[in-house]
Amino acid sequence: MNSATYPLSRFIGPPLAGVLIGSGVPGLWVGFVTLGMLVAAGGAVLLARRLPSSVEFPSR
């Protein structure tokens, strides 16, 4: 899953950022970046709840 995100983000990120920044509404780009950050943080929280504690703390 991790190796699939880098090519996808490199393919979609620059054109999307160019369109959003060039649209004359730079706040829209900031909104998308903020929304993406919140979705990623929410996914990390949900994943942390599902993983066993031995994954987060391997020495225990």
Side-chain angles (χ1 to χ4, degrees):
M1 183 72 149
N2 185 26
S3 63
T5 53
Y6 287 112
L8 182 67
S9 64
R10 288 181 187 216
F11 179 71
I12 292 178
L16 181 63
V19 168
L20 290 173
I21 292 171
S23 69
V25 186
L28 189 62
W29 180 79
V30 173
F32 269 102
V33 169
T34 304
L35 180 66
M37 177 193 62
L38 292 173
V39 167
V45 168
L46 291 174
L47 181 61
R49 289 182 184 171
R50 297 183 62 105
L51 290 175
S53 62
S54 62
V55 172
E56 188 172 352
F57 304 106
S59 62
R60 290 186 185 176

